[in-house]
Amino acid sequence: KGHHLEKREEVGWAELVGTEIISMTKDTSVRHLMEQAFAKIGESLNPTYEASYMSTVISMVEAGLGITVLPSLALSTLRLPNVQLRPLHNPVVRREIGILSKKNKVFAPAAKVFLEILTKDNSVKTLIREIRWNSGQ
C-alpha cells in the first residue's frame, strides 16, 4: 500500500521501469519470464533486490522495499493487509505447470486426491491439457 501503482486497476510492464523491483533469483522460471517480458518492451530487468524464495520476496514487499512480479497461482491465497495485487499486461505472461510421473507408477493416496481435486475443479479443468510423452519418441 502507498505505492504510486496502487491506484491502477492493471499495470503495464513499461510502468515497472525505474521502479524498485524485488525479483526472484536468476535460476528461477519467474525471473526468466520477467526478463522475457522486459525484453519484449525493449527494456532490461534491473532488480533492486533478489531473493531465492517467494516467501522472502513477499515479506520484502510487505516491508515496503519495493514491488515484485509473481505468478497469480502463488498469490491467489495471499491476504496481507499492506500488500496490493495488480494484474500485469502488455505483454501478458503465461507459464505452464506440469505433473510428471514415471510410466505405470502408482500414485500415493495424497497424490491421487490432489489429482482428483485438480481434474474436478471447473476453474482448473478448463486449463488442463493432458500431454503424454514416451521416451522412445
Side-chain angles (χ1 to χ4, degrees):
K1 287 188 173 180
H3 194 275
H4 72 276
L5 296 175
E6 177 184 21
K7 294 179 179 20
R8 304 290 313 265
E9 290 294 318
E10 293 184 323
V11 177
W13 284 90
E15 295 174 84
L16 302 183
V17 175
T19 302
E20 291 185 331
I21 295 176
I22 304 162
S23 163
M24 299 294 296
T25 54
K26 290 183 180 185
D27 60 339
T28 63
S29 62
V30 173
R31 173 67 173 265
H32 180 71
L33 291 170
M34 286 179 70
E35 289 173 346
Q36 286 180 335
F38 272 96
K40 285 182 182 178
I41 62 166
E43 297 287 344
S44 295
L45 172 62
N46 297 306
T48 308
Y49 302 101
E50 294 182 9
S52 298
Y53 301 103
M54 285 188 192
S55 58
T56 304
V57 170
I58 293 167
S59 294
M60 292 171 78
V61 169
E62 190 174 30
L65 298 175
I67 64 169
T68 193
V69 174
L70 293 174
S72 57
L73 182 63
L75 303 173
S76 62
T77 59
L78 187 64
R79 301 287 180 257
L80 299 170
N82 295 321
V83 175
Q84 297 288 314
L85 306 177
R86 298 292 179 263
L88 275 167
H89 63 92
N90 294 332
V92 172
V93 177
R94 303 223 185 274
R95 72 176 186 167
E96 290 188 15
I97 298 172
I99 297 173
L100 302 175
S101 70
K102 187 173 180 179
K103 190 175 183 179
N104 301 321
K105 174 78 172 158
V106 176
F107 286 105
K112 283 182 186 179
V113 171
F114 175 69
L115 291 172
E116 287 174 15
I117 290 169
L118 284 179
T119 56
K120 290 180 181 175
D121 184 322
N122 287 331
S123 62
V124 175
K125 194 159 60 172
T126 59
L127 303 174
I128 293 177
R129 240 182 348 130
E130 187 171 341
I131 299 173
R132 295 185 185 271
W133 180 77
N134 294 320
S135 59
Q137 292 180 336

